[in-house]
Amino acid sequence: MEGAAVDHLAHERIRAEFDVEAMKIAWAGSKHAVDVADRMARLVASDPVFKKDNRMMLGRKELFKNTLRKSAHAWRRINELRLTEEEASMLRIFVDEPGYVDLHWGMFVPAIKGQGTDEQQKKWLPLAYKMQIIGCYAQTELGHGSNVQGLETTATFDPKTDEFIIHSPTLTSSKWWPGGLGKISTHAVVYARLITDGKDHGINGFIVQLRSLDDHSPLPGIVVGDIGTKFGNGAYNTMDNGVLQFDHVRIPRNQMLMRVSQVTREGKFVQSDVPRQLLYGTMVYVRQTIVSDASKALSRAVCIAVRYSAVRRQFGSQDGCPETQVIDYKTQQSRLFPLLASAYAFRFVGEWLKWLYRDVTERLQANDFSTLPEAHACTAGLKSLTTSVTADGIEECRKLCGGHGYLCSSGLPELFAVYVPACTYEGDNVVLLLQVARFLMKTVSQLGSGKKPVGTTAYMGSVQHLMQSKCDVLTAEDWLKPSVILEAFEARAIRLAINCAKNISKFPSQEEGFSELSADLLEVAIAHCQLIIVSKFINKVKEDIQGHGVKELLQILCNVYALSLVHKHLGDFISTGYITPKQGALANEQLRFLYAQVRPNAVALVDAFNYTDHYLGSILGRYDGNVYPKLYEEAWKDPLNDTVVPDGYHEYVRPLLKQKFTVSRM
Amino acid sequence: MEGAAVDHLAHERIRAEFDVEAMKIAWAGSKHAVDVADRMARLVASDPVFKKDNRMMLGRKELFKNTLRKSAHAWRRINELRLTEEEASMLRIFVDEPGYVDLHWGMFVPAIKGQGTDEQQKKWLPLAYKMQIIGCYAQTELGHGSNVQGLETTATFDPKTDEFIIHSPTLTSSKWWPGGLGKISTHAVVYARLITDGKDHGINGFIVQLRSLDDHSPLPGIVVGDIGTKFGNGAYNTMDNGVLQFDHVRIPRNQMLMRVSQVTREGKFVQSDVPRQLLYGTMVYVRQTIVSDASKALSRAVCIAVRYSAVRRQFGSQDGCPETQVIDYKTQQSRLFPLLASAYAFRFVGEWLKWLYRDVTERLQANDFSTLPEAHACTAGLKSLTTSVTADGIEECRKLCGGHGYLCSSGLPELFAVYVPACTYEGDNVVLLLQVARFLMKTVSQLGSGKKPVGTTAYMGSVQHLMQSKCDVLTAEDWLKPSVILEAFEARAIRLAINCAKNISKFPSQEEGFSELSADLLEVAIAHCQLIIVSKFINKVKEDIQGHGVKELLQILCNVYALSLVHKHLGDFISTGYITPKQGALANEQLRFLYAQVRPNAVALVDAFNYTDHYLGSILGRYDGNVYPKLYEEAWKDPLNDTVVPDGYHEYVRPLLKQKFTVSRM
């Protein structure tokens, strides 16, 4: 059954009704993107240093050391091969292991770039670029996460010495969670309450050296370590999330990041003329990256589950024929295909967010802040929605793989464990949705005022039409019209928002209403964000897309995405009066037809993600579908199988069997 | 901040409006049950051998050896203290670690008891009771799980020697997953296709010795080992789930379990006069245990999340006051309190299932099989529903604990990883729901025939009333009436079922309709099972319950459980025409009032589970709420903190910092 030539899924691939190579381009964004990803993925997959299938068997120390080795090796290869920035970042993606470098490049460098003065950038960035210093981003504390304004660490200016004194006044003020902090970073951007002349000026960032560049020992006044094991085998345990306490640590005044606020030699706190809003640009950037990561993680899980569902057979054997492929069961399709469609939907909304980021950046440079609140709400909401769906979706894919999905060799447990923190970091998903809801309530309240809603809220301008219109679907086929889908999502979103606004106004105060009805507000925000994703998917399909059948398949996936949401949130759509129960049933009927259209294309649709077996890291998701022999092979590698008779048998099992200390009880 | 006398949650406990000691009795079922649990939990917690907080740091071999040690120690203590069966099983629960003994006592012994002849029981049970042999249950195969009839292992009768030849004809026929098989079991009940005289008589059970009782080596013709690492740190990796292959292994004829079917000396296959249905009694028993375990697992997660939500504060600080406890946020309440209510609901439906099992057993003994299909469907559905909700609920509780829930020291990652297999074992949850749906479709089809639906389907007898009636709720308060809630769930369940039956009848064949609409059928089955749980909770509250405020609080929880489901499945309730959108909104309004009533009692309601800190295994869920100092303390125990400078620094980090192999790129 072995050998490179075997393809147990060939019969599936032959059935595809579209050009897979063209779909790869649609997925990746361009031929160039496919090529770069392809080269980098193969480079990583073929390099034994980047081997990752032994991860779940390593103890914490070995695991961590191995990550250090990979990071150094990646850096060496990037330099040896003189890779471009784009290639280097792709290579890091395919190395596929959280490590201190992520924070160094992803948070430390951008913080200095975004918040440092030109002078500070000139001093620190070259050191960081060459990795002569390694940095992390020390914001959250043991007692403080979402509420940045509640941080307790202090940075008190001492005019006598022209220094800040960084201090952790309480246990709960210990920095806690920053990645790369625990064992590796030599420097950190530390967020602390700035105090000058006895006055608290709120949270600011400071560059603080943590460890000696000679022997890596923590500098005086600094206690630093790892915060312990996290969820999963391997997973995020390759990262040294850290704890950090300061005992009156002194740094020069010029290590406060002073692009936006400054402290003068005399200890005066002054705002620079750089607008504070500029900082939000970075947030839009980071969240756009997270949405793009969501589509990556979800598509990996879906790829594994689709391929394995085509390999796995169960029940339905008749007259000696093989059993039915589980992917043919409607129950499997109704759980799996909406996730497949979501992976594509998130990919395209992520692409659109890149455009949004560029647009926001250009406007900011021209001092146009008008779209910022909308862009901010939109990215916050999409970060929340896509990461929640992805985390749940990975676990759903694991369950769709039955018992074998529970084995680490399926790749799904680690994918889940390493992914779920995305629901919490860079803004807790619930907190973010409430921010979106607040923005929506404000937008609703201004609808009569002549202030036109912009960007993704533009549809709210048609409030009168959307409040009165009714869905005109008469047949299941009517649900295939993009205009029908779009209006249904718009009507649902605006009606939920306006209902909620009305209910809030019944409370003594806006704040009380907002707080009492916050669970409903989450649903308002979700409806709005789903509309954004649906509308961007519809726009994508309207584009000129090359390749036989590609556009048609994307159209089908777009409809699956939208109609599965109509079914899932049927209560919203019906109770707001836009659709009737009958129309809801028709949407569900259409959904079944759509699943039947996805079915023959399912394996090819996940092939289009173009993931190597190395990157997938799953025996169930192997390209060649050669699942059972490889599962069997893999089992024997477990340390428990090193010996026939296990450690502990002689001490703890044999005495039982030989009745050495038992008393008969029956 | 330390010390036994500290109780950071005292202010919460004082607020409780009910008698916690009486609630402990209501939860456990009796004063006696509370006492036994209490004694056993303390016995385990105070014994250093049963320590479990280091689990996630151990490698697979150490972890496994440690479990062997615990199992032997538990056995020794059970015998030394001459514990009763009830006490011994409680003790095993509180040891709280999956191990080979679970399968020995939970599957091997019951299989022999249920399927063995009197003679076989007399021979094998005393050996098993004294643990002179250790057994497991070898059913699933690498290629075969849910479909037991598809198993490939063969047991061919050889009349020449009066033996069966047990054989694995293919790779996919390898036994795969049985717990206790990998490294420990000396014997197994092996399920195989019985073949005599060239004829296949389907799946039967056989007692097969696997390992030498002298040196524990596998017997000739047997290949056996562990299947590898599974999801999570610690978690199920304490269990040796195994792989097993037979190469023409011979066993005497009398090792086929012959209570129901027999093979004679001449090789003739005969059915005994013991009815096959008797075997289903065991299934009802096992699934009832699983439902009871679900309430245990969910209540542990909820206990952790409720206590930590009362400790954790975030936002809302004004005028120097502390921040708001996160449990005061409606968003937190709307996710957490329905899970708290579900834990209670599952507990009571589990208790009721014990009654059902006794009832079925008595009937079977009297050759009354009339209630068996209904009991079978009911237990299948409740197993599916409670395990799915519990698995998702544990993960939801983890997310409700924010970032810190991701640390293993929160206990939640391991609780999740160790729990999720319950969704797959003893019947995949989706497969089970389809069985329920099939039963419901049959019941619906017989409604006109005069055959009265029994047990949990009795409500279907009122089909005419339920199809026509309308919900008469006018105010939010009307939703507090048990009769209103019950009829809403009954109407929803029967209307969904009848709609589905109608839609199925439109297909050319019943089978095709069933298969095409199977996703809808899952929803029918869920609606029916939720009705069962709601109605058993309502019945529970009607009982005479002792203790100040206990009944009142249970009434509140019952309403929370029911109305949160109305909100979640609003589409069902409205689209089947039983309630109006307005009534749906009133249910949601009432839900908010109920949350406010739960809030002051939340911590006391989880205290009533009476879990020791040892059993909870969570720093976030500590009884005393002393979370932050203990999290801090725990962090330093991680192996990564053994040294200040981590292994690998000199090889892989220092060369970077010292520019030993980098090329400047910018």
Side-chain angles (χ1 to χ4, degrees), chain B residues 83-131:
Chain B
L83 299 185
T84 64
E85 262 312 287
E86 185 193 16
E87 289 168 333
S89 99
M90 271 290 173
L91 181 133
R92 283 191 207 103
I93 287 170
F94 289 117
V95 169
D96 187 37
E97 194 156 292
Y100 69 91
V101 288
D102 304 345
L103 284 299
H104 177 77
W105 293 110
M107 300 291 284
F108 182 70
V109 167
I112 295 174
K113 267 183 171 170
Q115 297 160 47
T117 61
D118 290 346
E119 202 179 333
Q120 289 175 320
Q121 297 192 33
K122 216 188 274 170
K123 171 172 176 188
W124 295 100
L125 288 181
L127 295 169
Y129 284 146
K130 292 190 223 156
M131 297 196 85

Side-chain angles (χ1 to χ4, degrees), chain A residues 76-143:
Chain A
R76 183 187 283 133
R77 296 299 287 153
I78 287 166
N79 286 289
E80 284 171 355
L81 300 170
R82 301 191 160 270
L83 299 186
T84 63
E85 262 311 286
E86 184 192 16
E87 290 168 333
S89 101
M90 271 292 173
L91 181 133
R92 284 192 207 103
I93 286 170
F94 289 117
V95 169
D96 188 37
E97 195 157 292
Y100 70 92
V101 287
D102 304 346
L103 285 299
H104 177 77
W105 294 110
M107 298 292 283
F108 181 70
V109 167
I112 295 174
K113 267 184 171 169
Q115 297 161 47
T117 59
D118 290 347
E119 202 179 335
Q120 289 176 320
Q121 297 193 33
K122 216 187 272 174
K123 172 174 177 187
W124 295 100
L125 288 180
L127 295 169
Y129 284 145
K130 291 190 224 156
M131 298 196 86
Q132 288 176 293
I133 62 174
I134 297 171
C136 67
Y137 186 89
Q139 180 180 300
T140 52
E141 296 175 356
L142 186 51

